[in-house]
Every structure is written in C-alpha cells, then in structure tokens.
Amino acid sequence: MNATAKTASQLAEDARQVANDAVESTRAYAQNAVNAAGEKVRDLRGSMEPGVEQLANRVQQAVQRGLDSATKTGARAQRQLGQAADVTGRYIADQPVRSVLMAAAAGAAITALIVLASRRRDD
C-alpha cells in the first residue's frame, strides 16, 4: 500500500509543478506586456504632454501592482495546493483501504455520468 501513497505524492508534486509553471508563465507574459508598454511610452515620450506622461506612468505602476498581486496570489495558491497534497498523501498512507474504496466510488460515479451524457447525445 506504500506504492499508493507514493503515487499520490507524485501526483501531488506533479500538480504543484503544473501550478508553478502556470504562475511563472503568466508572470512572464505579464512582465513582457509591461515591458512592451514601457517601451511604447518611452518612444512616445518626446511628443507627449506632461499630463499624458504622468498618466502613462500611473498606468504602468498600476499594472506592476497587479502583477505583484498576481504573483502573491499564485504563491498562496501553490502553498495551499501543497498543503492539500500533503494532507491527501497522509490520509492515503493512514487509510489505504478507505482511500481505494473512495477512489473506486468516484470512478464509478464519473463513469456513470459519462455513460448518461453519451446516451443523451445519441438520442
């Protein structure tokens, strides 16, 4: 039954890695957008009025704050996912039979839903 706990831990680690990759990808995309906006502002700066330039700086600062907030939220989500994975792994290690029965019941329920959905489409 230790193999089941190891498999659950591996799945949890895989899920944690996917979440981390998604956060990093989003952060990189947002950072590229901020950089592109900054370059456009610098290109147009020579022809801008001071009021418009101040507005552009404020927008860029707001985008940076949003990016920082998204990073913090992503890190918090990763911590919570890690905690959930740890709790799940411990539960599976402590209750292997119950865990297998719960997984089988969930699989049966999902299979029943898929069968019902496919029958409705055929009708």
Side-chain angles (χ1 to χ4, degrees):
M1 292 298 168
N2 210 1
T4 303
K6 185 175 182 182
T7 302
S9 296
Q10 288 172 342
L11 289 173
E13 183 58 35
D14 290 347
R16 193 179 313 172
Q17 186 61 42
V18 167
N20 187 34
D21 292 347
V23 167
E24 289 303 317
S25 175
T26 302
R27 180 180 169 85
Y29 179 78
Q31 189 63 49
N32 288 339
V34 168
N35 291 342
E39 288 177 21
K40 288 190 185 232
V41 167
R42 282 189 292 279
D43 290 345
L44 296 173
R45 189 170 278 166
S47 62
M48 287 186 186
E49 295 178 18
V52 175
E53 189 172 328
Q54 288 175 353
L55 178 61
N57 287 335
R58 287 184 197 162
V59 168
Q60 194 168 11
Q61 289 171 355
V63 169
Q64 189 63 45
R65 281 193 305 271
L67 179 61
D68 293 342
S69 177
T71 300
K72 289 177 186 176
T73 302
R76 189 175 333 123
Q78 281 182 308
R79 281 193 308 274
Q80 290 174 346
L81 180 62
Q83 290 171 349
D86 292 342
V87 168
T88 302
R90 281 195 306 269
Y91 181 83
I92 290 171
D94 293 343
Q95 302 286 333
V97 174
R98 184 179 282 176
S99 299
V100 169
L101 292 174
M102 288 172 58
I110 291 170
T111 302
L113 290 174
I114 291 171
V115 167
L116 285 173
S118 67
R119 284 185 183 170
R120 287 184 183 164
R121 258 191 262 148
D122 291 342
D123 290 342

